Amino acid sequence: MSDIITDIPRSFTDGELDEAFMNEIKSGFKLEKETEHLRVQQARKEAQDTKGKTHPVLGRCVATMPAREFFRLTGKYGHEEVHSKNFLQYYQKNFSDLAPNKI
């Protein structure tokens, strides 16, 4: 196997690279904030749809949250803590629009 190495002249400066990276980071944060709003709206809709209903296998839905938020919380606090009764009570108290049924 042979490696092909080319000598392509560099047409940009380090300052331009830094500026491009910063612009990408700023636009990425803006996009993340916009999409997070949409994800929360979807979770609210799901909570309203499951209000007062019981799933035959899973039971009552006591909380719903966007997937990214769930994985961020389980990564930070652990799976057991996020599924604990204390956390669910805290979540229902602070995010009542995302908690269709009480514990």
Side-chain angles (χ1 to χ4, degrees), residues 5-28:
I5 300 173
T6 60
D7 187 21
I8 299 174
R10 207 169 157 184
S11 61
F12 45 85
T13 64
D14 288 338
E16 291 171 333
L17 269 179
D18 292 344
E19 185 178 345
F21 282 135
M22 286 306 295
N23 288 337
E24 183 65 28
I25 290 169
K26 287 177 185 177
S27 65

Side-chain angles (χ1 to χ4, degrees), residues 46-59:
E46 290 173 7
Q48 289 302 316
D49 292 344
T50 59
K51 191 171 236 172
K53 296 180 182 174
T54 302
H55 189 276
V57 176
L58 301 175

Side-chain angles (χ1 to χ4, degrees), residues 8 13 25-26 34 36 38 43 54 72 77-79 84 102:
I8 299 174
T13 64
I25 290 169
K26 287 177 185 177
E34 291 170 0
E36 178 65 18
L38 295 174
T54 302
R72 185 186 68 77
Y77 298 111
H79 187 74
S84 71
K102 298 295 178 194

